[in-house]
């Protein structure tokens, strides 16, 4: 029998178009005209959009989303942690808020070292001594007092309801809660709502009555609903019973701080990001400077040459982080110098296309980087033209694993972000020294990089992600994806990421980022690789050429952008 192939052409074309269409990320690109919220959980994004639709501005929505995430995304959303926000008002004014945790006042430099000067295993990571004084509630109150437009009580209402009535777990959340059950049981009794007698399943209802009562107290008394009164009493009781060192004074004295953001430049775009005590803004601006100087846009995206050049830039930037950066209230941080043209003039000049520079002599094998994406970021734009980029965390997944008895919220393990011993790597493999040594009331150095990008002085992008040390490099590569590789916001978020942080001397790469030929030729040059399943959970928004908002929410998680 003979086939006439011409009859196959049309079906083949239809199948090909369908295939191309389904491979193209634009099919899930979320577009909107008025406002948008991109966050790690559908319910939190919905809470934010509802506030925007009801006439609230981006700041009202941000505060509501932050509280909602403390309910529906307990592994990172929080009232027991801290974070940073970078904003841009509709008149172009930019600013930032630092609500990072502080070391309890009686903290001391060697508190995690034994009598032989060795680091106690896990003391900075697990349990009561791992926590800094939470900053999130004070931060949200400050943000709302300054920029909010709708009643504080209305902003708290959705999270009180979600915690009191419960919400359905996603599949990823059920798996995550099951995986942490053992550690939660070690540090809490089985009464806490995050622990279920049987295994959690998708769509199970998570009800958090104690958390709901705490949120109610915050709704009624704002800051005092957390830092004094019943919540503070419960917190101090929890600390006393678990050998923690928080005092009531520490809670009363906590205050978030308005700071000048870091402002840099990339090919006529303004980069507005977080300054110390986050390293994010300085490091990001340095990386972009390197990318511009070395014209990395000449190389094919994620090709051998591109990965080589980018990781050479990244490793040089992380070397500065370890040496110079810490809490600006405790030391002189040379922020301006570190991003000045003069300082950066020669920083990247030793990079060549054909040679890999080895990182300084390190004791290989001692440094492990945990695979965790357990901070959370959200981006919001409103119909008035305001934008806010906010990253918040309890550090590791479910923080210190301690839930405050009777108050229903998890405490952070942010103390691990300090340099607990010079040269000793934290859970992200980051090392440090004097600048980030522990002192009472000091803020620990962070990598969180909530960022806003302007093009010709107009809002272009709102970006950020969790990922510990990989936060900065993910934001860096996402900016290049849009500006140099013309990706839309969703494509830029979806694109595979890789990461180098100087120490350890290895490229951390997402599975299937590059083929074996490319990988082998990089290995021949002297690069080392470590693979992990994913890097980043980005939540970004772009204002495209037609003035529409484009959402870019990370499908590596349950993240979703909702607009209207
Ligand atoms: O502030 C920091 O840099 C870290 N505590 C962030 C932690 C984080 O992103 C966790 N997820 N990987």
């Amino acid at each position: 029998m003979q086939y006439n192939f011409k009859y196959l052409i049309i079906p083949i074309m239809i199948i090909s178009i369908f295939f191309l269409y389904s491979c193209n990320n634009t099919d899930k690109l979320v577009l909107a005209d008025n406002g948008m919220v991109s966050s790690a959980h559908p319910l939190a994004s919905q809470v934010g959009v509802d506030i925007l639709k009801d006439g609230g501005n981006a700041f009202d929505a941000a505060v509501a989303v932050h509280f909602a995430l403390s309910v529906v995304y307990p592994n990172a959303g929080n009232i027991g942690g801290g974070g940073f926000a970078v904003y841009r008002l509709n008149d172009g004014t930019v600013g930032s808020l630092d609500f990072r945790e502080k070391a309890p006042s009686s903290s001391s430099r060697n508190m995690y070292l034994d009598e032989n000067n060795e680091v106690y295993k896990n003391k900075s990571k697990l349990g009561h001594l791992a926590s800094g004084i939470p900053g999130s509630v004070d931060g949200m109150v400050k943000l709302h007092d300054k920029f909010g437009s709708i009643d504080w009580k209305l902003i708290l209402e959705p999270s009180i309801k979600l915690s009191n009535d419960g919400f359905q777990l996603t599949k990823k959340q059920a798996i995550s809660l099951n995986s942490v059950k053992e550690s939660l049981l070690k540090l809490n009794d089985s009464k806490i709502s995050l622990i279920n007698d049987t295994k959690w399943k998708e769509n199970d209802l998570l009800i958090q009555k104690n958390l709901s009562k705490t949120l109610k107290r915050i709704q009624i008394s704002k800051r005092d609903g957390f830092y004094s009164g019943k919540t503070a009493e419960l917190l101090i009781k929890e600390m006393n019973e678990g050998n923690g060192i928080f005092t009531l004074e520490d809670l009363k004295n906590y205050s978030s701080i308005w700071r000048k953001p870091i402002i840099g430049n990339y090919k006529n775009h303004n980069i507005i990001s977080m300054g110390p005590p986050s390293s994010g803004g300085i490091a990001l601006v340095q990386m972009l400077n390197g990318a511009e100087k070395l014209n990395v846009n000449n190389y094919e995206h994620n090709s051998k040459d591109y990965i080589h050049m980018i990781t050479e830039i990244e490793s040089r930037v992380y070397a500065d982080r370890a040496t110079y950066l810490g809490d600006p209230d405790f030391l002189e941080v040379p922020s301006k110098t570190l991003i000045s043209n003069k300082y950066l003039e020669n920083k990247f000049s030793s990079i060549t296309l054909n040679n890999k520079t080895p990182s300084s002599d390190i004791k290989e094998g001692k440094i492990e980087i945990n695979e965790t994406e357990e901070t959370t970021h959200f981006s919001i734009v409103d119909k008035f033209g305001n934008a806010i980029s906010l990253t918040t965390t309890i550090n590791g997944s479910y923080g210190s694993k301690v839930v405050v008895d009777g108050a229903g919220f998890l405490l952070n393990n942010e103390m691990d972000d300090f340099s607990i011993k010079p040269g000793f790597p934290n859970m992200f493999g980051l090392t440090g020294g004097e600048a980030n040594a522990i002192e009472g009331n000091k803020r620990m150095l962070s990598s969180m990089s909530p960022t806003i990008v302007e093009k010709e002085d107009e809002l272009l992008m709102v970006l950020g992600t969790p990922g510990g040390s990989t936060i900065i490099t993910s934001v860096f590569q996402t900016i290049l994806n849009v500006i140099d590789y013309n990706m839309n916001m969703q494509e830029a978020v979806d694109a595979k990421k890789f990461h180098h942080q100087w120490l350890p001397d290895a490229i951390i790469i997402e599975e299937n980022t590059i083929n074996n030929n490319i990988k082998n030729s990089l290995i021949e040059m002297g690069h080392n690789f470590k693979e992990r399943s994913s890097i980043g959970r980005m939540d970004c928004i772009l204002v495209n050429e037609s003035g529409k908002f484009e959402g870019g929410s990370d499908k590596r998680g349950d993240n979703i952008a909702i607009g209207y």
Side-chain angles (χ1 to χ4, degrees), residues 350-364:
S350 59
I351 299 179
T352 64
L353 191 55
N354 298 317
N355 292 307
K356 186 224 176 288
T357 325
S359 297
S360 304
D361 50 328
I362 52 155
K363 292 161 204 72
E364 262 99 355

Side-chain angles (χ1 to χ4, degrees), residues 97-295:
L97 180 66
D98 162 4
F99 55 101
R100 179 72 159 166
E101 300 93 325
K102 289 168 74 167
S105 55
S106 62
S107 307
S108 58
R109 171 177 298 237
N110 295 335
M111 63 193 276
Y112 300 111
L113 305 184
D114 66 16
E115 60 280 4
N116 299 320
N117 223 21
E118 296 297 330
V119 173
Y120 283 116
K121 194 164 184 261
N122 284 338
K123 240 187 183 175
S124 64
K125 299 188 183 80
L126 274 179
H128 300 73
L129 212 54
S131 303
I133 308 299
S136 290
V137 174
D138 187 73
M140 293 310 103
V141 172
K142 282 233 171 64
L143 210 49
H144 181 263
D145 280 353
K146 187 157 176 169
F147 296 119
S149 68
I150 65 172
D151 187 10
W152 173 258
K153 294 203 164 56
L154 291 177
I155 285 175
L156 265 292
E157 210 46 50
S159 47
I160 293 173
K161 196 168 160 35
L162 282 165
S163 45
N164 186 63
D165 302 354
F167 71 96
Q168 286 184 308
L169 295 174
T170 66
K171 189 173 176 192
K172 286 194 173 82
Q173 287 186 301
I175 294 170
S176 161
L177 279 171
N178 290 333
S179 74
V180 83
K181 181 172 180 177
E182 284 305 305
S183 338
L184 287 174
L185 271 172
K186 274 191 197 137
L187 285 147
N188 305 276
D189 62 41
S190 55
K191 290 196 312 271
I192 66 165
S193 10
L194 299 178
I195 296 175
N196 206 15
D197 291 342
T198 54
K199 280 200 164 181
W200 288 107
K201 298 181 305 303
E202 185 180 6
N203 295 331
D204 277 353
L205 207 57
L206 176 60
I207 298 172
Q208 303 171 84
K209 294 281 182 196
N210 285 338
L211 177 58
S212 188
K213 286 182 205 151
T214 302
L215 291 168
K216 187 85 199 164
R217 288 192 288 276
I218 296 169
Q219 185 189 43
I220 295 167
S221 311
K222 298 179 86 172
R223 204 203 115 91
D224 288 345
F226 186 86
Y227 295 94
S228 48
K230 172 106 180 176
T231 313
E233 267 167 40
L234 291 168
L235 224 169
I236 298 300
K237 183 165 171 277
E238 177 69 52
M239 278 290 154
N240 291 342
E241 285 168 7
N243 295 323
I245 55 172
F246 283 25
T247 64
L248 267 179
E249 277 308 295
D250 287 343
L251 294 175
K252 283 199 184 114
N253 290 339
Y254 182 86
S255 182
S256 46
I257 301 176
W258 297 104
R259 297 194 190 271
K260 278 197 179 143
I262 294 291
I263 302 185
N265 189 272
Y266 179 65
K267 297 184 178 171
N268 299 324
H269 294 77
N270 298 326
I271 311 296
I272 301 131
S273 191
M274 195 64 217
S278 179
S279 58
I282 291 176
L284 177 64
V285 168
Q286 288 190 338
M287 286 175 198
L288 288 165
N289 182 285
E292 186 163 2
K293 280 206 168 70
L294 298 170
N295 294 314

Side-chain angles (χ1 to χ4, degrees), residues 100 321 372-375 393 395 414 417 428 445-448 466-468 471:
R100 179 72 159 166
R321 181 194 193 277
T372 155
E373 304 296 342
E374 305 308 353
T375 291
T393 191
N395 199 23
E414 220 74 57
D417 271 348
F428 305 107
L445 185 60
S446 171
S447 302
M448 289 189 274
I471 291 174

Side-chain angles (χ1 to χ4, degrees), residues 375-423:
T375 291
T376 189
H377 174 87
F378 58 82
S379 296
I380 301 182
V381 289
D382 67 21
K383 65 179 176 197
F384 311 107
N386 306 301
I388 179 162
S389 181
L390 191 151
T391 315
T392 182
T393 191
I394 42 177
N395 199 23
S397 190
Y398 304 92
S400 66
K401 314 284 192 293
V402 174
V403 175
V404 177
D405 195 20
F409 64 91
L410 278 156
L411 283 168
N412 65 82
N413 59 348
E414 220 74 57
M415 291 297 280
D416 190 62
D417 271 348
F418 276 117
S419 168
I420 59 176
K421 180 180 173 182

